Amino acid sequence: KRYRCSDARTEALDRLQYLRSGAALASKRSISSVVRDMTYQSAIFQASSTLEEYLKQIFDHWLFELKRHSRPGSSIPSRTRFSYLGREFSDSFSRFVHSGDEQSLAQKLQERSNIMDFAMGRSGILPHLTGEIAYKDKKYPSPKNVRALYARIGCDNIFDQLSRTLRTDAVLKLQAFNDLRTSIAHGTPPSLTLIDVRQNLDDVATIIKALDKISHREFSRDFGGGVW
């Protein structure tokens, strides 16, 4: 299916433009340096949250559309299903390894046999599932988390694709932005100019645009264009 930008992308880019406008207003000479610096730093924080929310929305929409079209559980990649299975039973297996209580483990597996059936592709998509099946514990947009998030749907080369699309090292671009956000969070922010803020917001925008096209390609190839 031909690419069209997602609603999540449109919303994210509108938000980044709003932050850009706010930073420009704060740069006026009539604004105190304290207010200006706080506005600049807030824009960086909110840009990070915008990227995080974008990732959440596209995966939530993916699961919503799969369920809306009554797709079978097997329409979700096997790696996603088994990754979910592993997370759901990790505590049970850890307790078994520690205690050797086979009976308790067997009971837990039996009680949650619906998850086993889903992981094996023998049932429909579990009603309670959302995009969290992919982004659980991986929403914060660090390079490590983004790589793990897309690997959960079988896309092992997300940064190779991003780098080709952006024509630069996508890992370094995202890491540089995260390093700036972290320095602000830890109370050691660098001196920011309006140009710095605009550049960082533009970097996040280009990453979101590229992710949107790649996500469309991945979802459409594996699940059909109807889920976008």
Side-chain angles (χ1 to χ4, degrees), residues 73-137:
S74 58
S75 64
I76 294 178
S78 60
R79 187 184 299 175
T80 310
R81 288 182 273 119
F82 281 104
S83 176
Y84 172 70
L85 173 72
R87 296 195 302 274
E88 288 296 299
F89 287 107
S90 61
D91 288 345
S92 298
F93 279 104
S94 293
R95 284 193 293 270
F96 170 70
V97 170
H98 178 72
S99 68
D101 189 346
E102 184 177 319
Q103 183 177 352
S104 294
L105 175 61
Q107 182 178 354
K108 181 63 68 173
L109 292 173
Q110 186 175 14
E111 289 172 352
R112 308 190 72 184
S113 59
N114 62 326
I115 295 179
M116 302 285 288
D117 289 338
F118 167 70
M120 297 299 294
R122 297 192 297 251
S123 70
I125 298 173
L126 300 176
H128 69 277
L129 288 180
T130 66
E132 192 175 36
I133 191 175
Y135 62 67
K136 184 177 176 62
D137 300 325

Side-chain angles (χ1 to χ4, degrees), residues 14 18 28 32 39 47 70 72 76-77 86 88 111 123-125 147 152 154 158 161 172 186-187 195 202:
D14 285 348
Y18 173 80
K28 295 184 180 299
S32 73
T39 302
S70 300
I76 294 178
E88 288 296 299
E111 289 172 352
S123 70
I125 298 173
R147 184 179 288 110
R152 283 179 176 173
I158 182 61
Q161 294 191 59
L172 291 180
H186 290 172
I195 292 175
D202 288 348

Side-chain angles (χ1 to χ4, degrees), residues 137-221:
D137 300 325
K138 303 298 179 186
K139 279 196 307 177
Y140 177 71
S142 67
K144 181 179 178 181
N145 281 352
V146 171
R147 184 179 288 110
L149 166 57
Y150 277 87
R152 283 179 176 173
I153 65 166
C155 177
D156 292 323
N157 65 341
I158 182 61
F159 278 105
D160 290 340
Q161 294 191 59
L162 272 175
S163 294
R164 283 196 299 271
T165 302
L166 299 176
R167 296 183 180 180
T168 189
D169 190 319
V171 174
L172 291 180
K173 183 180 285 289
L174 181 55
Q175 189 61 58
F177 173 76
N178 281 343
D179 288 346
L180 175 58
R181 183 232 181 251
T182 300
S183 69
I184 295 172
H186 290 172
T188 56
S191 178
L192 292 172
T193 66
L194 180 60
I195 292 175
D196 295 329
V197 175
R198 284 174 170 170
Q199 183 60 60
N200 277 278
L201 296 182
D202 288 348
D203 284 347
V204 173
T206 58
I207 289 170
I208 288 174
K209 291 175 184 177
L211 279 173
D212 207 59
K213 292 179 179 179
I214 294 167
S215 297
H216 173 268
R217 186 162 60 242
E218 293 291 329
F219 290 171
S220 297
R221 183 186 66 228

